[in-house]
């Protein structure tokens, strides 16, 4: 039980760090190439999914990959949403947040299943 919790916590922390790194790099790219602002939201969604996938694939092991992945995905979305809201001083909840939670849960579930099966066969 304790190892499952630590796996999820480490996966969440990794996902948040990857998300921060991706957003930082994307901010530099936006500044350098003057990209339109309508590109930001879809790219941020891709970054969140990639961050969840990275954290899950690195740290989730053993069994119950689906459950650990869903928990990891949902917590990662909530923490990144709160973190970026605090950074920008604008925290607002809308139906898009529910969509992000769903996408985070699905991405986490898929990664959890893949991570557990990769680790078993390796």
């Amino acid at each position: 039980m304790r190892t499952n919790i630590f796996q999820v916590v480490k996966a969440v922390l990794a996902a948040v760090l990857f998300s921060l790194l991706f957003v930082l790099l994307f901010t530099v790219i936006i500044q350098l190439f003057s990209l339109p602002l309508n590109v930001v939201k879809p790219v941020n969604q891709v970054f969140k999914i990639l961050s969840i996938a990275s954290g899950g694939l690195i740290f989730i092991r053993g069994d119950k990959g689906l459950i650990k992945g869903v928990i990891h995905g949902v917590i990662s979305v909530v923490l990144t949403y709160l973190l970026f809201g605090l950074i920008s001083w604008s925290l607002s909840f809308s139906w898009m947040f529910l969509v992000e939670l769903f996408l985070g849960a699905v991405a986490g579930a898929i990664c959890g299943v893949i991570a557990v099966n990769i680790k078993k066969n390796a």
Side-chain angles (χ1 to χ4, degrees), residues 20-101:
L20 282 170
L21 180 66
F22 286 145
V23 168
L24 179 65
L25 291 173
F26 187 56
T27 303
V28 171
I29 291 170
I30 288 174
Q31 295 297 319
L32 289 175
F33 298 108
S34 301
L35 297 175
L37 291 178
N38 62 350
V39 173
V40 173
K41 285 197 184 253
V43 171
N44 280 339
Q45 293 304 320
V46 171
F47 286 158
K48 282 183 187 178
I49 292 170
L50 289 175
S51 298
I52 291 169
S54 301
L57 289 173
I58 293 171
F59 289 108
I60 293 178
R61 297 181 182 92
D63 57 352
K64 301 178 186 171
L66 181 69
I67 295 168
K68 289 189 273 189
V70 169
I71 293 169
H72 148 66
V74 169
I75 293 173
S76 297
V77 168
V78 170
L79 285 181
T80 56
Y81 198 82
L82 290 173
L83 181 66
F84 291 131
L86 290 173
I87 289 171
S88 67
W89 289 95
S90 64
L91 189 62
S92 63
F93 295 99
S94 67
W95 63 273
M96 253 329 259
F97 179 67
L98 296 176
V99 172
E100 288 184 27
L101 280 175

